[in-house]
Amino acid sequence: MPHKAIIFVLNGPNLNLLGTREPEIYGRDTLDDIARRLDDQAQTLGVEIDFRQSNHEGHLIDWLHEAQAVGAKAVLLNAAGFTHSSIAIHDAIKAISVPVVEVHLSEPKTREAFRHISYVGMAAKLCFAGHGAKSYELALDAAARF
Ligand code: DQA
């Protein structure tokens, strides 16, 4: 049987605290809840996901490079706070040919002004934001069709 296409799902800082972190903004689902649902969805879509979280910018950059090295079909990236600060993550997205889909639980563009700039969005192919945990599911649906 041919290998299934692999889609990396990369999560940045503080997302390990989902469930208890500002639930009025981010909801009550934990990152594990999201990972489990995406796994089920991936099975239905006939793709495989590799779901990771790190609080460290360099890990996210290394994982973007790894997505390219292993020939991933796409990357879903919730870079969290690094979205609004990291030119290095922007550069990493531009440095790979794997399409990156920006994901956010909240809608940063309707929040504080410092969240209105997205260095990830300037390099990503698509963005799903403001749908809570469902943003990930919408992004996976789109990425599986690339
Ligand atoms: C977030 C939005 C970012 O502005 C914030 O820094 C996060 C989470 C989201 O998923 O809504 O940590 O990426």
Side-chain angles (χ1 to χ4, degrees), residues 5-27:
I6 183 147
I7 296 178
F8 279 30
V9 186
L10 305 182
N11 295 281
N14 304 305
L15 294 172
N16 54 312
L17 299 182
L18 279 186
T20 56
R21 174 195 181 200
E22 301 185 272
E24 65 288 356
I25 297 175
Y26 299 116

Side-chain angles (χ1 to χ4, degrees), residues 1 4 7 16 19 25 53 76 78 80 82 89-90 114 120:
M1 255 213 339
K4 286 183 183 173
I7 296 178
N16 54 312
I25 297 175
Q53 188 274 333
L76 310 191
N78 185 350
F82 291 140
I89 290 178
H90 171 96
F114 61 80
V120 168

Side-chain angles (χ1 to χ4, degrees), residues 4-73:
K4 286 183 183 173
I6 183 147
I7 296 178
F8 279 30
V9 186
L10 305 182
N11 295 281
N14 304 305
L15 294 172
N16 54 312
L17 299 182
L18 279 186
T20 56
R21 174 195 181 200
E22 301 185 272
E24 65 288 356
I25 297 175
Y26 299 116
R28 298 250 170 223
D29 285 329
T30 66
L31 202 58
D32 278 348
D33 294 333
I34 294 173
R36 263 194 300 274
R37 281 205 301 274
L38 277 196
D39 243 334
D40 290 345
Q41 187 187 350
Q43 286 214 2
T44 309
L45 291 168
V47 297
E48 202 176 300
I49 58 164
D50 190 331
F51 194 98
R52 306 179 189 183
Q53 188 274 333
S54 175
N55 293 322
H56 304 277
E57 187 175 13
H59 288 166
L60 296 168
I61 293 167
D62 288 343
W63 293 341
L64 286 163
H65 298 176
E66 187 183 331
Q68 171 90 353
V70 304
K73 181 179 174 71

Side-chain angles (χ1 to χ4, degrees), residues 46-123:
V47 297
E48 202 176 300
I49 58 164
D50 190 331
F51 194 98
R52 306 179 189 183
Q53 188 274 333
S54 175
N55 293 322
H56 304 277
E57 187 175 13
H59 288 166
L60 296 168
I61 293 167
D62 288 343
W63 293 341
L64 286 163
H65 298 176
E66 187 183 331
Q68 171 90 353
V70 304
K73 181 179 174 71
V75 176
L76 310 191
L77 175 62
N78 185 350
F82 291 140
T83 305
H84 318 297
S85 68
S86 179
I87 291 165
I89 290 178
H90 171 96
D91 286 345
I93 296 169
K94 302 263 279 196
I96 62 173
S97 55
V98 181
V100 173
V101 182
E102 179 182 16
V103 178
H104 301 286
L105 297 137
S106 67
E107 176 47 274
K109 295 203 163 50
T110 61
R111 298 179 60 193
E112 304 94 319
F114 61 80
R115 295 184 205 276
H116 295 183
I117 280 216
S118 171
Y119 293 106
V120 168
M122 288 175 206

Side-chain angles (χ1 to χ4, degrees), residues 22 46 99 108 127-128:
E22 301 185 272
C127 176
F128 292 91

